[in-house]
Amino acid sequence: MSDQNAPTPPPGHQDLPQQPPYDQPGPYGQQPPYGQQAPNGQQVPYGQQAPYGHPQGVQYQQSGPQNGTEPPLTRDGDRLVGTFDHLLNIVAPAVGPLILWLVTRRRGPLADSEGREALNFGITAAIVYVGIGVISLLSLIGGPLALIVPLLYPLLWVAVVVYAILGAVQANKGLPYRYPVTFRFVS
């Protein structure tokens, strides 16, 4: 089909070679259409992606240990996990350190000890948060506690932030940290 409004080429002009239709294999260096195999079992050219499920695509080796155990953390990774164990108490007391400790406790000694310590501190802080909540419910009746209880939540949060940062700094140095007032639920 030709377009009637298209300009006519000047005499002696050579047309550029046209691309083959999409359903026909093209010249070397072009990827075959999606879902079709390259003609004559040719390899997909370098730098181009083979279609999904194509047998000639790159075969990746499974990395990591084959027996189902996690690889041990490096020394820096162990310190980093210990640092984050403490810092997670700021945003999610008890829950954040619990999740991180369960994932990394068998991968490094500092990750295990600091995760356990941060978890114990987070549980203690959560119990105190609940205790303040109960006291605030009782103070609704009235009395002198009604003036003091609203100040306890911010004070507890500041204490959690300060001790979590102190623990994170110690863990980042590779040293264990013990919170001063903590019930040891997980040992």
Side-chain angles (χ1 to χ4, degrees), residues 1-159:
M1 292 184 118
S2 65
D3 188 7
Q4 305 252 342
N5 297 332
T8 56
H13 174 35
Q14 295 176 337
D15 286 335
L16 296 174
Q18 295 292 323
Q19 293 279 345
Y22 187 73
D23 59 343
Q24 294 179 1
Y28 180 78
Q30 291 185 350
Q31 186 174 357
Y34 181 80
Q36 296 181 7
Q37 188 172 4
N40 301 327
Q42 295 174 352
Q43 187 118 17
V44 176
Y46 178 78
Q48 295 183 355
Q49 186 176 6
Y52 179 76
H54 196 273
Q56 294 174 351
V58 178
Q59 301 296 321
Y60 292 99
Q61 296 286 335
Q62 182 180 3
S63 62
Q66 302 298 321
N67 58 5
T69 62
E70 299 93 10
L73 292 169
T74 63
R75 192 169 184 217
D76 289 338
D78 200 19
R79 287 184 5 225
L80 184 66
V81 168
T83 302
F84 278 119
D85 272 325
H86 292 288
L87 292 177
L88 282 172
N89 272 324
I90 297 172
V91 292
V95 176
L98 173 66
I99 293 170
L100 188 58
W101 179 66
L102 288 175
V103 171
T104 60
R105 66 181 171 190
R106 292 188 181 101
R107 297 183 63 193
L110 194 65
D112 182 38
S113 67
E114 296 307 297
R116 202 174 325 113
E117 186 68 19
L119 176 60
N120 284 327
F121 180 67
I123 293 171
T124 303
I127 289 172
V128 174
Y129 276 123
V130 171
I132 292 173
V134 170
I135 292 172
S136 67
L137 286 177
L138 294 176
S139 70
L140 289 176
I141 298 170
L145 288 179
L147 299 174
I148 298 172
V149 171
L151 299 175
L152 295 179
Y153 277 119
L155 287 176
L156 178 61
W157 186 79
V158 167

Side-chain angles (χ1 to χ4, degrees), residues 74 173 185:
T74 63
K173 292 178 183 176
F185 295 105

